[in-house]
Amino acid sequence: MGNILYEQRELTGILTLNRPEALNALNNAIMRELSEALDKIASSDIRCLIITGAGKKAFIAGADVAEMQNYSPEDAAASSRKDSAVLEKLENLPMPVIAAVNGYALGGGCELALACDLRIAAENARFGLPEASLGIFPGLGGVQRLMRLIGITKAKELLFAARQFDAQEALKLGLVNAVVPAEKLMEASLETAGAISKNAPLAVRVIKMMANRSIGLSLKEAVGLEQEYFAICFSSADQKEAMAAFMEKRKPAPFCGR
Ligand code: CO8
């Protein structure tokens, strides 16, 4: 397993991509281990996951160029399908995922961050999708996710120019939720995870599922989906307890996730 480190702090899982000698570049081994780790996390009872990169320099400096260099079109198709499925698995984890971006988030690394729910960047983070400068384009859904997050015009500019940009620009673009000093990155990420974990897990999961599933639906279809999920919340013990506590002017019992 060595390419992926995992620890749990209270209700938050912390997954670290651990290949610092190659700036955590995504090779086949790391993607396989990530996929296996995500399967376990999906069925765990953590309320939030933080993903970060080992070392001080990089979140993830992209897909492994050495491995990709001699791909045939068939290899590229297979690899893109396989690795895209891992990012979809990440995107659809039941609990929210925060990318704690601690340096370079380039190419596939930026794509992985885009598949997370929230992004918190260290001041020294640098983002970019340099694929066009390598004769390819982001092959893991990055074009689509970037457009949805920051709009088509800005996304096209960044993709065509393959330009790197810093954390402050990422904040202005709405690509990251916050920028913090590098030494405070994990603390800030844990704080955000803690704020999420205080709320009813089922409600948080439903919000995530609705947000993810409604993209591409018409407003009418999306609101219809919300009505279904809204009803589901009222079958939960947490809703009963939280509302009873409010009416009785007392603190609710800790949420049980049912
Ligand atoms: N792949 C493989 N090795 C890498 C990568 C990478 N993406 N990035 C860094 N490394 C390695 C370097 O080769 C170097 O190894 P070594 O010490 O053995 O020479 C080590 O990490 C340290 O890197 P540098 O010496 O280059 O460190 P610098 O501080 O000088 O530079 C940079 C840091 C600017 C981040 C530089 O390393 C860089 O430009 N890296 C490549 C960035 C890049 O182009 N990323 C995009 C790759 S393409 C991609 O991600 C496509 C995604 C779609 C995939 C679809 C599925 C197939």
Side-chain angles (χ1 to χ4, degrees):
M1 264 266 167
N3 285 311
I4 301 289
L5 306 176
Y6 184 73
E7 64 174 298
Q8 191 174 332
R9 289 202 211 163
E10 298 181 358
L11 295 167
T12 300
I14 304 175
L15 185 153
T16 304
L17 293 138
N18 183 39
R19 202 188 165 214
E21 67 284 3
L23 305 187
N24 306 315
L26 302 172
N27 61 8
N28 286 319
I30 209 168
M31 289 306 283
R32 191 174 51 247
E33 290 175 33
L34 175 61
S35 180
E36 287 163 11
L38 293 176
D39 286 335
K40 289 192 190 131
I41 289 165
S43 58
S44 77
D45 58 2
I46 59 162
R47 304 241 176 120
C48 193
L49 176 69
I50 296 172
I51 296 194
T52 194
K56 289 192 164 47
K57 204 163 155 183
F59 176 67
I60 302 164
D64 192 305
V65 179
E67 219 175 57
M68 235 180 344
Q69 183 185 11
N70 295 316
Y71 275 0
S72 66
E74 293 74 24
D75 295 334
S79 183
S80 166
R81 253 196 313 274
K82 177 173 63 62
D83 292 349
S84 292
V86 180
L87 293 206
E88 272 173 45
K89 196 186 280 187
L90 169 65
E91 187 164 49
N92 293 315
L93 277 180
M95 63 289 289
V97 183
I98 301 170
V101 182
N102 57 316
Y104 289 109
L106 301 176
C110 187
E111 293 191 84
L112 187 146
L114 297 177
C116 297
D117 298 296
L118 308 178
R119 284 154 291 280
I120 300 180
E123 277 167 350
N124 68 326
R126 284 193 73 76
F127 296 83
L129 291 154
E131 281 87 343
S133 70
L134 292 166
I136 58 171
F137 72 90
L140 306 176
V143 176
Q144 303 310 316
R145 291 194 178 94
L146 188 68
M147 287 196 313
R148 284 168 166 80
L149 280 171
I150 67 170
I152 296 173
T153 305
K154 269 289 166 192
K156 281 182 178 168
E157 177 202 321
L158 293 171
L159 289 159
F160 292 158
R163 177 167 71 79
Q164 279 190 25
F165 50 100
D166 65 15
Q168 286 302 336
E169 187 171 350
L171 186 64
K172 280 198 208 113
L173 287 167
L175 194 75
V176 301
N177 298 80
V179 178
V180 298
E183 66 279 9
K184 299 256 191 250
L185 179 62
M186 194 42 70
E187 186 184 321
S189 303
L190 282 164
E191 205 177 299
T192 301
I196 292 169
S197 303
K198 278 200 300 238
N199 294 314
L202 189 73
V204 171
R205 286 175 179 220
V206 163
I207 292 167
K208 172 167 173 167
M209 206 190 310
M210 258 172 358
N212 285 4
R213 282 191 57 191
S214 62
I215 293 171
L217 298 183
S218 69
L219 182 62
K220 192 168 172 48
E221 288 167 324
V223 172
L225 189 66
E226 291 196 357
Q227 288 157 5
E228 280 173 39
Y229 284 123
F230 190 65
I232 291 170
C233 291
F234 281 80
S235 64
S236 74
D238 284 341
Q239 175 271 327
K240 301 273 173 282
E241 168 58 12
M243 290 196 184
F246 175 81
M247 294 309 294
E248 292 158 18
K249 301 192 187 305
R250 60 172 173 83
K251 265 185 77 167
F255 289 121
C256 63
R258 278 181 289 107

Coordinates of all heavy atoms in Angstrom, one line a residue, residues 19-26 57-58 60-68 71 75-81 83-84 104 106-111 128-131 133-134 136-140 164, ligand 1:
R19 N 3.9 9.9 -2.6 CA 5.0 9.6 -3.6 C 5.8 10.9 -3.8 O 5.9 11.4 -4.9 CB 4.3 9.1 -4.9 CG 5.2 8.3 -5.8 CD 4.6 8.0 -7.1 NE 5.6 7.6 -8.0 CZ 5.6 7.9 -9.3 NH1 4.7 8.6 -9.9 NH2 6.6 7.4 -10.1
P20 N 6.3 11.4 -2.7 CA 6.9 12.8 -2.8 C 8.1 12.9 -3.7 O 8.4 13.9 -4.2 CB 7.3 13.1 -1.3 CG 7.3 11.7 -0.6 CD 6.4 10.8 -1.3
E21 N 8.8 11.7 -3.9 CA 10.0 11.8 -4.8 C 9.6 12.1 -6.2 O 10.4 12.6 -7.0 CB 10.8 10.5 -4.7 CG 10.1 9.2 -5.3 CD 9.0 8.6 -4.4 OE1 8.7 9.2 -3.3 OE2 8.5 7.6 -4.8
A22 N 8.3 11.9 -6.6 CA 7.8 12.3 -7.9 C 6.7 13.3 -7.8 O 5.8 13.4 -8.6 CB 7.3 11.1 -8.7
L23 N 6.8 14.1 -6.7 CA 5.8 15.1 -6.4 C 4.3 14.5 -6.5 O 3.4 15.2 -7.0 CB 5.9 16.3 -7.4 CG 7.3 17.0 -7.4 CD1 7.3 18.3 -8.2 CD2 7.8 17.3 -6.0
N24 N 4.2 13.3 -6.0 CA 3.0 12.6 -5.9 C 2.3 12.4 -7.2 O 1.0 12.3 -7.3 CB 2.0 13.3 -4.9 CG 2.7 13.5 -3.6 OD1 3.3 12.6 -3.0 ND2 2.6 14.7 -3.0
A25 N 3.1 12.3 -8.3 CA 2.5 12.1 -9.6 C 1.7 10.8 -9.6 O 2.1 9.8 -9.0 CB 3.6 12.1 -10.7
L26 N 0.6 10.8 -10.4 CA -0.3 9.7 -10.4 C 0.1 8.6 -11.4 O -0.1 8.8 -12.6 CB -1.7 10.2 -10.7 CG -2.3 11.3 -9.8 CD1 -3.6 11.8 -10.4 CD2 -2.5 10.7 -8.4
K57 N 5.9 20.4 -1.1 CA 6.0 21.0 -2.4 C 4.8 20.8 -3.3 O 4.5 21.7 -4.1 CB 7.3 20.5 -3.1 CG 7.8 21.3 -4.2 CD 9.2 20.9 -4.5 CE 9.7 21.3 -5.9 NZ 11.0 20.7 -6.2
A58 N 4.2 19.6 -3.2 CA 3.2 19.3 -4.2 C 2.0 18.6 -3.5 O 2.1 17.8 -2.7 CB 3.7 18.4 -5.3
I60 N -0.3 17.2 -6.0 CA -0.1 16.2 -7.1 C 0.4 16.9 -8.3 O -0.4 17.8 -8.8 CB -1.4 15.4 -7.4 CG1 -1.9 14.7 -6.2 CG2 -1.1 14.3 -8.5 CD1 -3.4 14.2 -6.3
A61 N 1.6 16.6 -8.8 CA 2.1 17.3 -10.0 C 1.6 16.7 -11.3 O 2.2 16.9 -12.4 CB 3.6 17.3 -10.0
G62 N 0.5 15.9 -11.3 CA -0.1 15.5 -12.5 C 0.0 14.0 -12.6 O 0.4 13.3 -11.8
A63 N -0.5 13.5 -13.8 CA -0.4 12.1 -14.1 C 1.1 11.8 -14.4 O 1.8 12.8 -14.7 CB -1.2 11.7 -15.4
D64 N 1.5 10.6 -14.3 CA 3.0 10.3 -14.4 C 3.4 10.3 -15.9 O 3.0 9.4 -16.7 CB 3.3 8.9 -13.8 CG 4.7 8.7 -13.7 OD1 5.5 8.8 -14.7 OD2 5.2 8.4 -12.5
V65 N 4.1 11.4 -16.3 CA 4.5 11.5 -17.7 C 5.4 10.4 -18.2 O 5.2 9.9 -19.3 CB 5.1 12.9 -17.9 CG1 5.5 13.1 -19.3 CG2 4.2 14.1 -17.4
A66 N 6.2 9.9 -17.3 CA 7.2 8.9 -17.7 C 6.4 7.6 -18.1 O 6.7 6.9 -19.1 CB 8.1 8.5 -16.5
E67 N 5.3 7.4 -17.4 CA 4.5 6.2 -17.6 C 3.6 6.4 -18.9 O 3.4 5.4 -19.6 CB 3.6 5.9 -16.4 CG 3.4 4.5 -16.1 CD 2.6 4.3 -14.8 OE1 1.4 4.8 -14.7 OE2 3.1 3.6 -13.9
M68 N 3.2 7.6 -19.1 CA 2.2 7.9 -20.2 C 2.9 8.1 -21.5 O 2.3 7.9 -22.6 CB 1.5 9.2 -19.8 CG 0.1 9.2 -19.8 SD -0.7 10.8 -19.4 CE 0.6 11.8 -18.7
Y71 N 2.4 5.6 -24.4 CA 1.1 5.0 -24.6 C 0.7 5.0 -26.1 O 0.9 6.0 -26.8 CB 0.0 5.9 -23.8 CG -0.2 5.5 -22.4 CD1 0.6 4.6 -21.7 CD2 -1.1 6.2 -21.6 CE1 0.4 4.3 -20.4 CE2 -1.3 6.0 -20.3 CZ -0.5 5.0 -19.6 OH -0.7 4.7 -18.3
D75 N -3.8 2.3 -25.3 CA -3.4 2.4 -23.9 C -4.1 3.7 -23.2 O -4.5 3.6 -22.1 CB -1.9 2.6 -23.8 CG -1.1 1.4 -24.3 OD1 -1.7 0.2 -24.2 OD2 0.0 1.5 -24.7
A76 N -4.0 4.8 -24.0 CA -4.5 6.0 -23.5 C -6.0 5.9 -23.2 O -6.5 6.4 -22.1 CB -4.3 7.2 -24.5
A77 N -6.8 5.2 -24.1 CA -8.2 5.1 -23.9 C -8.5 4.2 -22.7 O -9.3 4.6 -21.8 CB -8.8 4.4 -25.1
A78 N -7.7 3.1 -22.5 CA -7.9 2.3 -21.3 C -7.6 3.0 -20.1 O -8.3 2.9 -19.1 CB -7.1 1.0 -21.5
S79 N -6.5 3.7 -20.1 CA -6.0 4.4 -18.9 C -7.0 5.5 -18.5 O -7.3 5.7 -17.3 CB -4.6 4.9 -19.2 OG -4.1 5.5 -18.0
S80 N -7.4 6.2 -19.5 CA -8.4 7.4 -19.2 C -9.7 6.8 -18.6 O -10.2 7.4 -17.7 CB -8.6 8.1 -20.5 OG -9.7 9.0 -20.4
R81 N -10.1 5.7 -19.2 CA -11.4 5.1 -18.7 C -11.2 4.7 -17.2 O -12.0 4.9 -16.3 CB -11.8 3.9 -19.5 CG -13.0 4.1 -20.4 CD -13.6 2.8 -20.9 NE -12.6 1.9 -21.4 CZ -12.1 1.9 -22.7 NH1 -12.5 2.8 -23.6 NH2 -11.3 1.0 -23.1
D83 N -8.8 5.5 -14.9 CA -8.5 6.5 -14.0 C -9.7 7.5 -13.8 O -9.9 8.0 -12.7 CB -7.3 7.3 -14.4 CG -6.0 6.4 -14.2 OD1 -6.1 5.3 -13.6 OD2 -5.0 6.8 -14.7
S84 N -10.5 7.7 -14.8 CA -11.7 8.5 -14.7 C -12.7 7.9 -13.7 O -13.3 8.5 -13.0 CB -12.4 8.7 -16.0 OG -11.6 9.5 -16.9
Y104 N 1.9 22.2 -5.7 CA 1.5 22.1 -7.1 C 0.2 21.1 -7.2 O 0.2 20.0 -6.7 CB 2.6 21.4 -8.0 CG 3.8 22.3 -8.2 CD1 5.0 22.1 -7.6 CD2 3.6 23.4 -9.1 CE1 6.1 23.0 -7.8 CE2 4.7 24.3 -9.3 CZ 5.9 24.0 -8.7 OH 7.0 24.9 -8.9
L106 N -1.3 20.1 -10.5 CA -1.2 20.3 -12.0 C -1.8 19.1 -12.7 O -1.8 18.0 -12.2 CB 0.3 20.4 -12.4 CG 1.0 21.6 -11.8 CD1 2.5 21.6 -12.2 CD2 0.4 22.9 -12.1
G107 N -2.3 19.3 -13.9 CA -2.8 18.2 -14.7 C -3.7 17.3 -14.0 O -4.7 17.8 -13.4
G108 N -3.5 16.0 -14.0 CA -4.3 15.1 -13.3 C -4.5 15.4 -11.8 O -5.5 15.0 -11.2
G109 N -3.5 16.1 -11.2 CA -3.6 16.5 -9.8 C -4.7 17.6 -9.6 O -5.4 17.5 -8.7
C110 N -4.7 18.5 -10.6 CA -5.7 19.5 -10.6 C -7.1 18.8 -10.8 O -8.1 19.2 -10.1 CB -5.4 20.6 -11.6 SG -6.5 22.0 -11.5
E111 N -7.1 17.9 -11.7 CA -8.4 17.2 -12.0 C -8.9 16.5 -10.8 O -10.1 16.4 -10.5 CB -8.1 16.2 -13.2 CG -7.8 16.8 -14.5 CD -7.9 15.8 -15.6 OE1 -9.0 15.6 -16.1 OE2 -6.8 15.3 -16.0
G128 N -3.0 24.3 -12.3 CA -2.8 24.5 -13.8 C -3.2 23.2 -14.5 O -3.1 22.1 -13.9
L129 N -3.6 23.3 -15.7 CA -3.9 22.2 -16.6 C -3.0 22.3 -17.8 O -3.4 22.9 -18.8 CB -5.4 22.2 -16.9 CG -6.2 21.8 -15.7 CD1 -7.6 22.4 -15.8 CD2 -6.2 20.3 -15.4
P130 N -1.7 21.9 -17.6 CA -0.7 22.1 -18.7 C -0.8 21.1 -19.8 O 0.1 21.1 -20.7 CB 0.6 21.9 -17.9 CG 0.3 20.9 -16.8 CD -1.2 21.1 -16.5
E131 N -1.8 20.3 -19.9 CA -1.9 19.2 -20.9 C -1.7 19.7 -22.3 O -1.0 19.0 -23.1 CB -3.2 18.4 -20.7 CG -3.2 17.5 -19.6 CD -3.7 18.1 -18.3 OE1 -3.7 19.3 -18.2 OE2 -4.1 17.3 -17.4
S133 N 0.2 21.8 -23.4 CA 1.6 22.0 -23.7 C 2.3 20.6 -23.9 O 3.5 20.6 -24.3 CB 2.3 22.8 -22.6 OG 2.3 22.0 -21.4
L134 N 1.6 19.5 -23.6 CA 2.2 18.2 -23.7 C 1.5 17.4 -24.9 O 1.7 16.2 -25.0 CB 2.0 17.4 -22.4 CG 2.8 17.9 -21.2 CD1 2.3 17.3 -19.9 CD2 4.3 17.6 -21.4
I136 N -1.7 16.9 -25.3 CA -2.9 16.1 -24.9 C -3.9 17.1 -24.2 O -3.7 18.3 -24.3 CB -2.7 15.0 -23.9 CG1 -2.0 15.4 -22.6 CG2 -1.8 13.9 -24.6 CD1 -1.8 14.4 -21.5
F137 N -5.0 16.6 -23.6 CA -5.8 17.5 -22.8 C -6.2 16.8 -21.6 O -5.9 15.5 -21.5 CB -7.1 18.0 -23.6 CG -8.1 16.9 -23.9 CD1 -9.1 16.7 -23.0 CD2 -8.0 16.1 -25.0 CE1 -10.1 15.7 -23.2 CE2 -8.9 15.1 -25.2 CZ -10.0 14.9 -24.3
P138 N -6.8 17.4 -20.6 CA -7.0 16.7 -19.3 C -8.0 15.6 -19.6 O -9.1 15.7 -19.9 CB -7.7 17.8 -18.4 CG -7.2 19.1 -19.0 CD -7.1 18.9 -20.5
G139 N -7.5 14.3 -19.4 CA -8.2 13.2 -19.8 C -9.0 12.5 -18.7 O -9.5 11.4 -18.9
L140 N -9.2 13.2 -17.6 CA -10.0 12.5 -16.5 C -11.2 13.3 -16.2 O -11.7 13.3 -15.0 CB -9.1 12.4 -15.3 CG -7.7 11.7 -15.5 CD1 -6.9 11.7 -14.2 CD2 -8.0 10.3 -16.0
Q164 N -0.3 28.2 -15.6 CA -0.4 28.0 -14.2 C -0.9 29.2 -13.5 O -0.7 30.3 -14.0 CB 1.0 27.7 -13.6 CG 1.5 26.3 -13.8 CD 2.8 26.0 -13.0 OE1 3.1 26.6 -12.0 NE2 3.5 25.0 -13.5
Ligands
CO8_1 N1 5.2 12.8 -13.9 C1 6.3 12.1 -13.6 N2 7.3 12.6 -12.8 C2 7.1 13.9 -12.3 C3 5.9 14.6 -12.6 C4 4.9 14.1 -13.4 N3 3.8 14.7 -13.7 N4 6.1 15.8 -12.0 C5 7.2 15.8 -11.3 N5 7.9 14.6 -11.5 C6 9.2 14.2 -11.0 C7 10.3 14.9 -11.8 O1 10.5 14.1 -12.9 C8 11.4 14.8 -10.7 O2 11.9 13.5 -10.7 P1 13.5 13.2 -10.7 O3 14.0 13.8 -9.4 O4 13.7 11.8 -10.8 O5 14.1 14.0 -11.9 C9 10.7 15.0 -9.4 O6 9.3 14.7 -9.7 C10 10.8 16.4 -8.9 O7 10.3 17.3 -9.9 P2 11.2 18.5 -10.5 O8 12.7 18.2 -10.4 O9 10.7 18.8 -11.9 O10 10.8 19.7 -9.5 P3 10.8 21.2 -9.9 O11 10.6 21.9 -8.6 O12 11.9 21.6 -10.7 O13 9.5 21.5 -10.8 C11 7.1 21.1 -11.4 C12 8.2 21.2 -10.2 C13 7.0 22.5 -12.0 C14 5.8 20.7 -10.8 C15 7.7 20.1 -12.5 O14 8.0 18.9 -11.8 C16 6.7 19.8 -13.5 O15 6.5 20.7 -14.4 N6 6.0 18.6 -13.5 C17 5.1 18.2 -14.5 C18 3.8 18.9 -14.4 C19 2.9 18.5 -15.5 O16 3.1 18.7 -16.7 N7 1.8 17.8 -15.1 C20 0.8 17.4 -16.1 C21 1.1 16.0 -16.5 S1 0.0 15.5 -17.8 C22 -1.4 15.0 -17.0 O17 -1.5 15.1 -15.8 C23 -2.5 14.4 -17.8 C24 -3.7 14.0 -16.9 C25 -4.6 13.1 -17.8 C26 -4.3 11.7 -17.7 C27 -5.2 10.8 -18.4 C28 -5.0 9.3 -18.1 C29 -4.0 8.7 -18.9

